[in-house]
């Protein structure tokens, strides 16, 4: 066989591998779509539901943050377990079963069952902690065969299509159920989320059957690398922690909308149409993920700076003005922040951490993100009861702090790459 023919064969094999990597990303995207229909559908009414069954703003802020704390902090533990065992699929499946099936159980908490509801929310986040490092890692194996930003952007876009369809699904359920009070309508809506939950599990097993060994997408490194926290990664972790601390959880947003607009007698936002506000945010999230994913592949960390500049003022428009147009503007900006959070933030880790330690890298990333999400959610929930203006100021200032940190991390990463090239060219 000629050298030219051999090269052509290798090119065709590589093309086929890349094609299969994209098929895997798309199939898992459908899993994420169905999953997000379930828990993001629930999120659209979660804050209002907790308020109906007796939880205060402080409690809602605390449990939202504490659930995220569990969900994120445990990811470091399960990330280490995943790297050591390489049992990617078992971890993903176990996590999805716990995560998805906890949501419909919210239908059975009762009119004063806010404590039980809070426990279910914590359990759901534990399920997410089990699956997330393994899921992000196997996705990164395929994503590194394409452009990482675009690949995670596609994932987030499909996620957010599900996040749009979930609240829309609940709106339709409640539209045709007008014979009960708001509590019972919400309870029935949670029960109907069992439909996309079961579909998620079916699609997950189908994807596993088609791709039992997704780690094969990314070639093994030529030599065993040691994982250590480079200065650029440390700066990045500090930056995303500031972002997480200042970013207000949607439970608090939906509770505020419920109090100001639903209970205030708005003709546009009612108890039944409240999920549609979240649907709108998720659509913006989806398009933002694709846009900023492409920007990341081209401009790197600068895309995170642009995303933060486009979203960090959202709390001002949502909480400081009783205006529907400004509310929708604020919710749209919130969606931009979420899109960046779920696409670019993960893509950065895939480019910074070696394959053999990537689940650990994602675990560290998620652990820090969750700690500061919890602390921020708790503080911002308490501030809401004391002074909404103070809450808005803290939210804006802390998110703005992440911008110079992103820039510093980018500069440091470039220095580390240049140093690595110099050492390779001049080993002595």
């Amino acid at each position: 066989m000629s050298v030219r023919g051999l090269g052509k064969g290798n090119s065709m094999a590589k093309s086929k591998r890349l094609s299969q990597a994209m098929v895997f990303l798309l199939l898992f995207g459908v899993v994420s779509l169905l999953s997000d229909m379930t828990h993001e559908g629930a999120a659209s009414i979660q804050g209002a539901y907790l308020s109906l069954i007796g939880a205060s703003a402080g409690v809602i802020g605390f449990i939202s943050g504490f659930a995220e704390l569990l969900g994120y902090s445990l990811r470091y533990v399960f990330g280490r377990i995943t790297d050591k065992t390489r049992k990617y699929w078992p971890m993903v499946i176990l996590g999805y079963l716990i995560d998805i099936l906890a949501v419909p159980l919210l239908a059975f908490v009762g009119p004063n069952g806010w404590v039980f509801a809070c426990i279910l929310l914590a359990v759901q986040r534990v399920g997410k902690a089990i699956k997330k490092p393994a899921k992000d890692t196997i996705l990164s194996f395929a994503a590194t065969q394409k452009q990482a930003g675009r690949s995670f952007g596609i994932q987030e876009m499909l996620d957010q299509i599900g996040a749009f369809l979930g609240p829309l699904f609940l709106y339709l359920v409640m539209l045709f159920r007008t014979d009960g009070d708001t509590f019972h309508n919400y309870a029935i809506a949670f029960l109907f989320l069992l439909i996309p939950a079961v579909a998620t599990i079916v699609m997950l097993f189908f994807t596993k059957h088609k791709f039992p060994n997704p780690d094969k997408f990314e070639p093994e490194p030529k030599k065993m690398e040691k994982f250590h926290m480079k200065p650029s990664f440390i700066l990045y972790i500090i930056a995303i922690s500031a972002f997480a601390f200042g970013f207000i959880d949607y439970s608090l947003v939906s509770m505020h909308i419920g109090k100001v607009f639903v209970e205030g007698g708005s003709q546009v936002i009612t108890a039944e149409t409240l999920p549609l506000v979240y649907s709108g945010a998720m659509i913006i999230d989806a398009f933002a993920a694709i846009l900023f994913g492409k920007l990341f592949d081209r401009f790197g960390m600068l895309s995170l700076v642009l995303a933060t500049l486009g979203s960090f003022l959202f709390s001002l428009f949502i909480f400081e003005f009783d205006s529907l147009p400004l509310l929708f503007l604020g919710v749209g900006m919130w969606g931009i922040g979420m899109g960046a959070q779920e696409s670019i933030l993960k893509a950065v880790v895939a480019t910074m951490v070696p394959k053999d330690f990537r689940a650990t890298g994602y675990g560290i990333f998620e652990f820090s993100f969750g700690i500061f999400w919890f602390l921020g959610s708790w503080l911002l929930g308490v501030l809401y009861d004391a002074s909404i203006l103070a809450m808005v100021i803290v939210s804006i200032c802390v998110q703005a702090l992440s911008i110079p940190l992103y820039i510093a991390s980018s500069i440091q990463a470039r220095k580390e790459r240049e140093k690595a090239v110099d050492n390779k060219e001049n080993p002595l």
Side-chain angles (χ1 to χ4, degrees), residues 6-307:
L6 186 60
K8 184 176 180 181
N10 288 340
S11 176
M12 289 176 65
K14 184 178 180 182
S15 176
K16 184 177 180 181
R17 184 175 75 248
L18 294 180
S19 175
Q20 288 297 297
M22 182 53 69
V23 170
F24 173 72
L25 288 168
L26 292 174
L27 282 177
F28 220 115
V30 176
V31 174
S32 297
L33 185 154
L34 294 167
S35 171
D36 268 36
M37 275 192 70
T38 307
H39 52 70
E40 298 296 352
S44 69
I45 58 173
Q46 185 174 290
Y49 187 65
L50 288 172
S51 182
L52 276 175
I53 58 180
S56 66
V59 167
I60 292 172
F62 176 84
I63 193 57
S64 297
F66 181 70
E68 293 295 340
L69 172 65
L70 278 178
Y72 280 101
S73 61
L74 290 175
R75 291 179 200 188
Y76 173 72
V77 176
F78 292 114
R80 291 297 301 270
I81 292 172
T82 301
D83 272 338
K84 286 183 179 296
T85 64
R86 302 294 180 94
K87 301 293 185 182
Y88 300 111
W89 275 119
M91 299 294 284
V92 169
I93 290 170
L94 175 62
Y96 262 109
L97 288 171
I98 296 172
D99 173 22
I100 290 300
L101 297 179
V103 174
L105 292 177
L106 287 167
F108 303 103
V109 299
N112 298 302
W114 63 271
V115 174
F116 183 38
C118 289
I119 292 172
L120 284 174
L121 292 175
V123 168
Q124 186 255 328
R125 289 303 179 181
V126 171
K128 202 165 185 178
I130 296 171
K131 77 178 186 186
K132 210 69 169 67
K135 174 189 170 183
D136 287 342
T137 300
I138 61 176
L139 288 175
S140 76
F141 294 152
T144 52
Q145 306 309 299
K146 296 288 185 181
Q147 295 172 304
R150 186 186 69 164
S151 298
F152 278 105
I154 290 171
Q155 275 290 306
E156 176 62 7
M157 182 188 72
L158 290 170
D159 271 5
Q160 299 321 117
I161 290 174
F164 165 76
L165 293 175
L168 181 61
F169 176 59
L170 293 197
Y171 166 70
L172 295 174
V173 168
M174 291 189 288
L175 184 65
F176 291 103
R177 180 181 169 80
T178 57
D179 56 338
D181 58 24
T182 301
F183 166 74
H184 287 98
N185 287 344
Y186 281 2
I188 290 296
F190 282 120
L191 189 59
F192 267 83
L193 289 175
L194 186 62
I195 297 172
V198 171
T200 301
I201 302 303
V202 172
M203 191 65 195
L204 182 66
F205 278 98
F206 175 76
T207 304
K208 178 184 180 298
H209 173 72
K210 295 289 289 184
F211 295 95
N213 300 299
D215 54 311
K216 303 300 182 184
F217 284 123
E218 184 174 342
E220 293 295 330
K222 293 181 180 179
K223 63 178 182 177
M224 187 67 176
E225 298 182 63
K226 293 183 178 180
F227 175 64
H228 61 277
M229 298 275 283
K230 294 180 180 179
S232 60
F233 190 63
I234 293 172
L235 284 168
Y236 178 65
I237 293 298
I238 297 172
I240 61 99
S241 298
F243 175 87
F245 189 94
F247 203 82
I248 298 174
D249 191 272
Y250 194 80
S251 292
L252 204 57
V253 174
S254 75
M255 186 209 71
H256 177 77
I257 296 173
K259 283 188 173 183
V260 174
F261 293 95
V262 177
E263 295 176 14
S266 170
Q267 299 300 309
V268 177
I269 302 179
T270 64
E272 291 73 28
T273 60
L274 182 59
L276 297 182
V277 179
Y278 192 66
S279 285
M282 293 300 97
I283 283 294
I284 293 171
D285 180 334
F287 284 107
I290 287 292
L291 171 62
F292 287 108
K294 289 183 176 180
L295 289 175
F296 173 77
D297 289 327
R298 186 169 181 181
F299 300 110
M301 201 78 76
L302 176 61
S303 59
L304 268 176
V305 174
L306 295 174

Side-chain angles (χ1 to χ4, degrees), residues 317-338:
F317 300 108
I318 292 175
F319 293 96
E320 278 300 307
F321 302 98
D322 296 342
S323 163
L324 276 174
L326 292 179
L327 169 68
F328 293 145
L329 173 62
V331 170
M333 294 170 72
W334 184 91
I336 290 173
M338 285 297 294

